[in-house]
PDB file of all heavy atoms in Angstrom:
ATOM      1  N   ARG A 666      53.792  73.226 140.020  1.00 98.00           N
ATOM      2  CA  ARG A 666      54.521  72.052 140.485  1.00 98.00           C
ATOM      3  C   ARG A 666      55.524  72.545 141.525  1.00 98.00           C
ATOM      4  O   ARG A 666      56.285  73.470 141.262  1.00 98.00           O
ATOM      5  CB  ARG A 666      55.241  71.429 139.277  1.00 98.00           C
ATOM      6  CG  ARG A 666      56.094  70.243 139.595  1.00 98.00           C
ATOM      7  CD  ARG A 666      56.858  69.773 138.351  1.00 98.00           C
ATOM      8  NE  ARG A 666      57.700  68.673 138.745  1.00 98.00           N
ATOM      9  CZ  ARG A 666      57.379  67.393 138.577  1.00 98.00           C
ATOM     10  NH1 ARG A 666      56.271  67.062 137.952  1.00 98.00           N
ATOM     11  NH2 ARG A 666      58.187  66.442 139.003  1.00 98.00           N
ATOM     12  N   VAL A 667      55.514  71.946 142.711  1.00 98.00           N
ATOM     13  CA  VAL A 667      56.448  72.344 143.763  1.00 98.00           C
ATOM     14  C   VAL A 667      57.370  71.167 144.050  1.00 98.00           C
ATOM     15  O   VAL A 667      56.905  70.066 144.377  1.00 98.00           O
ATOM     16  CB  VAL A 667      55.700  72.783 145.046  1.00 98.00           C
ATOM     17  CG1 VAL A 667      56.672  73.149 146.151  1.00 98.00           C
ATOM     18  CG2 VAL A 667      54.782  73.966 144.753  1.00 98.00           C
ATOM     19  N   GLU A 668      58.675  71.405 143.912  1.00 97.00           N
ATOM     20  CA  GLU A 668      59.664  70.322 144.019  1.00 97.00           C
ATOM     21  C   GLU A 668      60.252  70.241 145.430  1.00 97.00           C
ATOM     22  O   GLU A 668      60.211  71.200 146.197  1.00 97.00           O
ATOM     23  CB  GLU A 668      60.841  70.605 143.064  1.00 97.00           C
ATOM     24  CG  GLU A 668      60.493  70.708 141.600  1.00 97.00           C
ATOM     25  CD  GLU A 668      60.334  69.365 140.925  1.00 97.00           C
ATOM     26  OE1 GLU A 668      60.668  68.330 141.533  1.00 97.00           O
ATOM     27  OE2 GLU A 668      59.861  69.357 139.766  1.00 97.00           O
ATOM     28  N   GLY A 669      60.867  69.084 145.684  1.00 96.00           N
ATOM     29  CA  GLY A 669      61.760  68.949 146.836  1.00 96.00           C
ATOM     30  C   GLY A 669      61.083  68.919 148.192  1.00 96.00           C
ATOM     31  O   GLY A 669      61.648  69.369 149.181  1.00 96.00           O
ATOM     32  N   ILE A 670      59.889  68.354 148.260  1.00 98.00           N
ATOM     33  CA  ILE A 670      59.190  68.267 149.557  1.00 98.00           C
ATOM     34  C   ILE A 670      59.496  66.904 150.178  1.00 98.00           C
ATOM     35  O   ILE A 670      59.463  65.875 149.493  1.00 98.00           O
ATOM     36  CB  ILE A 670      57.668  68.418 149.363  1.00 98.00           C
ATOM     37  CG1 ILE A 670      57.352  69.666 148.530  1.00 98.00           C
ATOM     38  CG2 ILE A 670      56.949  68.466 150.704  1.00 98.00           C
ATOM     39  CD1 ILE A 670      55.923  69.720 148.029  1.00 98.00           C
ATOM     40  N   GLU A 671      59.760  66.901 151.477  1.00 98.00           N
ATOM     41  CA  GLU A 671      60.059  65.639 152.154  1.00 98.00           C
ATOM     42  C   GLU A 671      58.773  64.848 152.381  1.00 98.00           C
ATOM     43  O   GLU A 671      57.785  65.404 152.857  1.00 98.00           O
ATOM     44  CB  GLU A 671      60.738  65.934 153.498  1.00 98.00           C
ATOM     45  CG  GLU A 671      61.112  64.673 154.233  1.00 98.00           C
ATOM     46  CD  GLU A 671      61.602  64.957 155.650  1.00 98.00           C
ATOM     47  OE1 GLU A 671      62.097  66.068 155.905  1.00 98.00           O
ATOM     48  OE2 GLU A 671      61.483  64.048 156.480  1.00 98.00           O
ATOM     49  N   LEU A 672      58.822  63.569 152.074  1.00 98.00           N
ATOM     50  CA  LEU A 672      57.639  62.729 152.262  1.00 98.00           C
ATOM     51  C   LEU A 672      57.622  62.139 153.670  1.00 98.00           C
ATOM     52  O   LEU A 672      58.630  61.622 154.143  1.00 98.00           O
ATOM     53  CB  LEU A 672      57.634  61.591 151.231  1.00 98.00           C
ATOM     54  CG  LEU A 672      56.351  60.747 151.216  1.00 98.00           C
ATOM     55  CD1 LEU A 672      55.168  61.549 150.713  1.00 98.00           C
ATOM     56  CD2 LEU A 672      56.539  59.496 150.365  1.00 98.00           C
ATOM     57  N   ARG A 673      56.482  62.273 154.350  1.00 98.00           N
ATOM     58  CA  ARG A 673      56.277  61.583 155.623  1.00 98.00           C
ATOM     59  C   ARG A 673      55.157  60.581 155.416  1.00 98.00           C
ATOM     60  O   ARG A 673      54.020  60.985 155.142  1.00 98.00           O
ATOM     61  CB  ARG A 673      55.846  62.562 156.719  1.00 98.00           C
ATOM     62  CG  ARG A 673      56.966  63.414 157.226  1.00 98.00           C
ATOM     63  CD  ARG A 673      56.535  64.119 158.500  1.00 98.00           C
ATOM     64  NE  ARG A 673      57.485  65.173 158.809  1.00 98.00           N
ATOM     65  CZ  ARG A 673      57.283  66.104 159.720  1.00 98.00           C
ATOM     66  NH1 ARG A 673      56.155  66.133 160.394  1.00 98.00           N
ATOM     67  NH2 ARG A 673      58.194  67.024 159.957  1.00 98.00           N
ATOM     68  N   ILE A 674      55.477  59.331 155.557  1.00 98.00           N
ATOM     69  CA  ILE A 674      54.459  58.291 155.366  1.00 98.00           C
ATOM     70  C   ILE A 674      53.841  58.016 156.734  1.00 98.00           C
ATOM     71  O   ILE A 674      54.540  57.681 157.683  1.00 98.00           O
ATOM     72  CB  ILE A 674      55.099  57.032 154.752  1.00 98.00           C
ATOM     73  CG1 ILE A 674      55.721  57.415 153.390  1.00 98.00           C
ATOM     74  CG2 ILE A 674      54.069  55.927 154.582  1.00 98.00           C
ATOM     75  CD1 ILE A 674      56.517  56.319 152.737  1.00 98.00           C
ATOM     76  N   THR A 675      52.526  58.218 156.821  1.00 98.00           N
ATOM     77  CA  THR A 675      51.884  58.177 158.134  1.00 98.00           C
ATOM     78  C   THR A 675      50.385  57.913 158.026  1.00 98.00           C
ATOM     79  O   THR A 675      49.739  58.382 157.074  1.00 98.00           O
ATOM     80  CB  THR A 675      52.103  59.513 158.889  1.00 98.00           C
ATOM     81  OG1 THR A 675      51.215  59.553 160.009  1.00 98.00           O
ATOM     82  CG2 THR A 675      51.830  60.731 158.024  1.00 98.00           C
ATOM     83  N   GLY A 676      49.875  57.196 158.998  1.00 98.00           N
ATOM     84  CA  GLY A 676      48.438  56.947 159.058  1.00 98.00           C
ATOM     85  C   GLY A 676      47.638  58.150 159.538  1.00 98.00           C
ATOM     86  O   GLY A 676      46.419  58.081 159.649  1.00 98.00           O
ATOM     87  N   ILE A 677      48.328  59.279 159.810  1.00 98.00           N
ATOM     88  CA  ILE A 677      47.618  60.499 160.228  1.00 98.00           C
ATOM     89  C   ILE A 677      46.662  60.961 159.131  1.00 98.00           C
ATOM     90  O   ILE A 677      45.602  61.502 159.404  1.00 98.00           O
ATOM     91  CB  ILE A 677      48.648  61.596 160.607  1.00 98.00           C
ATOM     92  CG1 ILE A 677      49.249  61.255 161.971  1.00 98.00           C
ATOM     93  CG2 ILE A 677      48.021  62.991 160.604  1.00 98.00           C
ATOM     94  CD1 ILE A 677      50.368  62.171 162.412  1.00 98.00           C
ATOM     95  N   VAL A 678      47.054  60.743 157.869  1.00 98.00           N
ATOM     96  CA  VAL A 678      46.135  61.085 156.774  1.00 98.00           C
ATOM     97  C   VAL A 678      45.534  59.808 156.189  1.00 98.00           C
ATOM     98  O   VAL A 678      46.176  58.760 156.171  1.00 98.00           O
ATOM     99  CB  VAL A 678      46.820  61.885 155.634  1.00 98.00           C
ATOM    100  CG1 VAL A 678      47.114  63.299 156.055  1.00 98.00           C
ATOM    101  CG2 VAL A 678      48.072  61.193 155.137  1.00 98.00           C
ATOM    102  N   ALA A 679      44.318  59.937 155.704  1.00 98.00           N
ATOM    103  CA  ALA A 679      43.607  58.793 155.134  1.00 98.00           C
ATOM    104  C   ALA A 679      44.107  58.543 153.708  1.00 98.00           C
ATOM    105  O   ALA A 679      44.641  59.457 153.068  1.00 98.00           O
ATOM    106  CB  ALA A 679      42.115  59.078 155.137  1.00 98.00           C
ATOM    107  N   PRO A 680      43.915  57.338 153.196  1.00 98.00           N
ATOM    108  CA  PRO A 680      44.257  57.081 151.797  1.00 98.00           C
ATOM    109  C   PRO A 680      43.536  58.070 150.882  1.00 98.00           C
ATOM    110  O   PRO A 680      42.398  58.451 151.146  1.00 98.00           O
ATOM    111  CB  PRO A 680      43.744  55.643 151.567  1.00 98.00           C
ATOM    112  CG  PRO A 680      43.709  55.018 152.916  1.00 98.00           C
ATOM    113  CD  PRO A 680      43.397  56.127 153.869  1.00 98.00           C
ATOM    114  N   GLY A 681      44.234  58.492 149.835  1.00 98.00           N
ATOM    115  CA  GLY A 681      43.615  59.432 148.888  1.00 98.00           C
ATOM    116  C   GLY A 681      43.764  60.886 149.308  1.00 98.00           C
ATOM    117  O   GLY A 681      43.430  61.794 148.553  1.00 98.00           O
ATOM    118  N   GLN A 682      44.254  61.120 150.525  1.00 98.00           N
ATOM    119  CA  GLN A 682      44.447  62.500 150.991  1.00 98.00           C
ATOM    120  C   GLN A 682      45.923  62.728 151.309  1.00 98.00           C
ATOM    121  O   GLN A 682      46.616  61.803 151.724  1.00 98.00           O
ATOM    122  CB  GLN A 682      43.625  62.752 152.258  1.00 98.00           C
ATOM    123  CG  GLN A 682      42.139  62.567 152.050  1.00 98.00           C
ATOM    124  CD  GLN A 682      41.363  62.700 153.353  1.00 98.00           C
ATOM    125  OE1 GLN A 682      41.734  63.457 154.239  1.00 98.00           O
ATOM    126  NE2 GLN A 682      40.284  61.956 153.464  1.00 98.00           N
ATOM    127  N   VAL A 683      46.402  63.932 151.109  1.00 98.00           N
ATOM    128  CA  VAL A 683      47.753  64.312 151.557  1.00 98.00           C
ATOM    129  C   VAL A 683      47.633  65.638 152.295  1.00 98.00           C
ATOM    130  O   VAL A 683      46.691  66.396 152.069  1.00 98.00           O
ATOM    131  CB  VAL A 683      48.761  64.442 150.378  1.00 98.00           C
ATOM    132  CG1 VAL A 683      49.153  63.079 149.839  1.00 98.00           C
ATOM    133  CG2 VAL A 683      48.211  65.325 149.273  1.00 98.00           C
ATOM    134  N   PHE A 684      48.581  65.897 153.181  1.00 98.00           N
ATOM    135  CA  PHE A 684      48.564  67.143 153.958  1.00 98.00           C
ATOM    136  C   PHE A 684      49.924  67.804 153.889  1.00 98.00           C
ATOM    137  O   PHE A 684      50.956  67.147 153.961  1.00 98.00           O
ATOM    138  CB  PHE A 684      48.229  66.863 155.420  1.00 98.00           C
ATOM    139  CG  PHE A 684      48.376  68.078 156.316  1.00 98.00           C
ATOM    140  CD1 PHE A 684      47.315  68.968 156.468  1.00 98.00           C
ATOM    141  CD2 PHE A 684      49.578  68.349 156.978  1.00 98.00           C
ATOM    142  CE1 PHE A 684      47.449  70.106 157.270  1.00 98.00           C
ATOM    143  CE2 PHE A 684      49.719  69.490 157.786  1.00 98.00           C
ATOM    144  CZ  PHE A 684      48.650  70.364 157.925  1.00 98.00           C
ATOM    145  N   MET A 685      49.921  69.123 153.764  1.00 98.00           N
ATOM    146  CA  MET A 685      51.175  69.876 153.730  1.00 98.00           C
ATOM    147  C   MET A 685      50.999  71.173 154.526  1.00 98.00           C
ATOM    148  O   MET A 685      49.970  71.836 154.408  1.00 98.00           O
ATOM    149  CB  MET A 685      51.519  70.205 152.279  1.00 98.00           C
ATOM    150  CG  MET A 685      52.809  70.973 152.114  1.00 98.00           C
ATOM    151  SD  MET A 685      53.184  71.204 150.356  1.00 98.00           S
ATOM    152  CE  MET A 685      54.567  72.313 150.464  1.00 98.00           C
ATOM    153  N   PRO A 686      52.008  71.552 155.333  1.00 98.00           N
ATOM    154  CA  PRO A 686      51.928  72.847 156.013  1.00 98.00           C
ATOM    155  C   PRO A 686      52.143  73.976 155.006  1.00 98.00           C
ATOM    156  O   PRO A 686      52.833  73.782 154.010  1.00 98.00           O
ATOM    157  CB  PRO A 686      53.084  72.786 157.012  1.00 98.00           C
ATOM    158  CG  PRO A 686      54.065  71.853 156.400  1.00 98.00           C
ATOM    159  CD  PRO A 686      53.263  70.849 155.627  1.00 98.00           C
ATOM    160  N   PHE A 687      51.533  75.123 155.279  1.00 98.00           N
ATOM    161  CA  PHE A 687      51.659  76.228 154.308  1.00 98.00           C
ATOM    162  C   PHE A 687      52.720  77.250 154.727  1.00 98.00           C
ATOM    163  O   PHE A 687      52.843  78.300 154.135  1.00 98.00           O
ATOM    164  CB  PHE A 687      50.309  76.923 154.099  1.00 98.00           C
ATOM    165  CG  PHE A 687      49.950  77.958 155.147  1.00 98.00           C
ATOM    166  CD1 PHE A 687      50.128  79.315 154.900  1.00 98.00           C
ATOM    167  CD2 PHE A 687      49.443  77.578 156.360  1.00 98.00           C
ATOM    168  CE1 PHE A 687      49.813  80.273 155.858  1.00 98.00           C
ATOM    169  CE2 PHE A 687      49.118  78.527 157.330  1.00 98.00           C
ATOM    170  CZ  PHE A 687      49.303  79.879 157.086  1.00 98.00           C
TER     171      PHE A 687
END
Side-chain angles (χ1 to χ4, degrees):
R666 177 185 177 98
V667 178
E668 300 280 350
I670 309 167
E671 182 188 335
L672 187 68
R673 285 193 194 168
I674 300 174
T675 167
I677 285 175
V678 287
Q682 299 175 33
V683 286
F684 172 87
M685 181 176 172
F687 82 100

